[in-house]
Amino acid sequence: MSETEATQTAVAPADSEHQETSYGVIQESAPEGLTVEPIEPKTALTDQFTPKEWDALKAFRVEIPDALASAYPDKNNAKTAAVKLWGVTIEPSNLLDAKVSVVLMKFLRARNLSVSEGKTMFIATLRWRDQFNVEAACKEEFPQDVFGQLGHIYGQDKAGRPVVYNVYGGNQDLKAVFGDIQRFLRWRVAFMEKSIELLDFETTDQMIQVHDYAGVSMTSRDTNSKNAASEASSIFSSHYPELLHKKYFVNVPSYMTWIFWLFKPLMPSATLAKMSVVGSGASTIGKALLAEVNAKQLPTRYGGEAEAF
């Protein structure tokens, strides 16, 4: 008998009846006419949920079996079979799991707590992962001479979130990088998935991203690179919701800064709050990043003390 079960048994009246809920949690039967909700597992992240978010989450849980059936129409047992998303197992018969709650909440928050819209996004994400074959992309070996300098995961911020660097000028051979757009997208998705592996969904569920544009100019972009960037942006906005804590754009060319400010009025305030366009040079970049990342965790090229990539 677990400690929780023992405690529940000890406090229950001797003649009370007990029943197992749909979530597999042993719970004392309520008096006739009353309903006792299952015990809700809590973590540091779920403790941050608001009452409205809890209400939306409970409604969302009811929709999960149907969502899974819609995502996998060819699976006869889709409503009951477990699926894994970002390393978290979603078990339809036992949705009362703190990590699962954090994952599901991301879809709700991305859609302003609309259960129907969150469900649509969840279904689309599961379908896309299946069609894209994310698992195979994560196992694929990509040439280091092409992609090795384009992305780095190094250090943590002051709250323990991983810091991810996308170095767009890391390889100036655009034909090598973007000649095969689908290969680039597989690499980019695999890199994102590798970043997510560092999230435990108990204390950390987001990352910091640094987008470095050093060496990137208007003339250094071709049609393939533009199309690849557009497709990647669509993938991440549609299928990786609420995984970003903050995003810093560093060493940004002046023309790109101008474009950012041009589109700023069209961006949601929540998105803008996460984004910062920073100037060039270690000193200038450090002034922004050191507010989030300790110097020993930040590479010297960005104003820190770490001898990293």
Side-chain angles (χ1 to χ4, degrees):
M1 180 180 295
S2 70
E3 182 178 348
T4 300
E5 292 172 334
T7 301
Q8 291 173 335
T9 302
V11 300
D15 60 348
S16 67
E17 296 182 1
H18 287 71
Q19 61 185 4
E20 186 171 348
T21 72
S22 60
Y23 297 116
V25 177
I26 302 300
Q27 192 79 0
E28 183 180 344
S29 297
E32 187 175 352
L34 295 178
T35 301
V36 175
E37 290 192 10
I39 297 173
E40 189 76 55
K42 297 289 185 71
T43 63
L45 292 176
T46 61
D47 280 342
Q48 298 173 24
F49 292 179
T50 67
K52 285 186 177 180
E53 288 178 334
W54 278 116
D55 290 342
L57 175 61
K58 291 172 183 177
F60 194 18
R61 284 172 177 158
V62 176
E63 300 292 329
I64 294 303
D66 284 339
L68 294 175
S70 295
Y72 307 109
D74 296 331
K75 289 177 61 175
N76 294 330
N77 64 338
K79 283 190 174 185
T80 57
V83 298
K84 184 168 286 190
L85 178 58
W86 306 325
V88 176
T89 299
I90 300 175
E91 175 63 65
S93 64
N94 185 23
L95 294 171
L96 210 67
D97 178 281
K99 288 187 177 183
V100 173
S101 296
V102 171
V103 168
L104 296 181
M105 183 58 67
K106 292 188 174 300
F107 292 91
L108 292 171
R109 286 173 173 168
R111 293 297 180 259
N112 297 313
L113 301 186
S114 168
V115 174
S116 61
E117 292 181 19
K119 177 181 177 181
T120 298
M121 187 183 197
F122 181 69
I123 292 170
T125 293
L126 294 181
R127 285 178 177 171
W128 168 80
R129 293 179 69 85
D130 199 38
Q131 294 164 1
F132 190 89
N133 201 342
V134 172
E135 185 175 346
C138 290
K139 295 178 181 178
E140 187 172 344
E141 293 187 11
F142 300 95
Q144 283 295 303
D145 60 327
V146 176
F147 299 105
Q149 297 304 312
L150 295 183
H152 306 274
I153 305 171
Y154 186 87
Q156 301 177 337
D157 73 356
K158 295 176 182 178
R161 304 181 189 91
V163 185
V164 182
Y165 299 85
N166 295 282
V167 185
Y168 294 99
N171 187 344
Q172 296 293 324
D173 187 347
L174 298 187
K175 288 186 178 181
V177 177
F178 301 107
D180 183 340
I181 293 178
Q182 290 307 309
R183 184 181 70 165
F184 169 80
L185 292 175
R186 292 196 303 275
W187 169 80
R188 188 64 186 85
V189 166
F191 181 62
M192 182 65 169
E193 293 285 325
K194 186 177 180 180
S195 305
I196 294 174
E197 287 178 5
L198 299 177
L199 307 176
D200 62 15
F201 294 97
E202 292 181 340
T203 59
T204 56
D205 66 333
Q206 292 183 319
M207 66 189 74
I208 285 183
Q209 290 182 350
V210 178
H211 291 244
D212 188 345
Y213 287 87
V216 177
S217 65
M218 188 75 81
T219 57
S220 68
R221 302 186 69 202
D222 61 11
T223 301
N224 272 19
S225 68
K226 292 176 183 178
N227 289 340
S230 178
E231 286 194 50
S233 178
S234 177
I235 286 172
F236 295 127
S237 62
S238 300
H239 305 306
Y240 290 89
E242 297 295 313
L243 289 164
L244 181 65
H245 175 64
K246 285 198 174 180
K247 180 184 291 188
Y248 294 91
F249 298 90
V250 305
N251 295 318
V252 179
S254 58
Y255 80 90
M256 293 187 68
T257 302
W258 177 79
I259 292 174
F260 173 81
W261 289 109
L262 180 66
F263 285 96
K264 183 178 178 180
L266 305 177
M267 297 180 186
S269 57
T271 300
L272 281 173
K274 295 183 178 183
M275 298 170 59
S276 297
V277 179
V278 182
S280 301
S283 178
T284 300
I285 296 171
K287 288 180 181 178
L289 294 183
L290 287 170
E292 294 282 342
V293 184
N294 287 321
K296 294 186 181 299
Q297 295 284 312
L298 186 66
T300 54
R301 66 196 292 182
Y302 300 117
E305 301 174 0
E307 296 297 333
F309 54 91

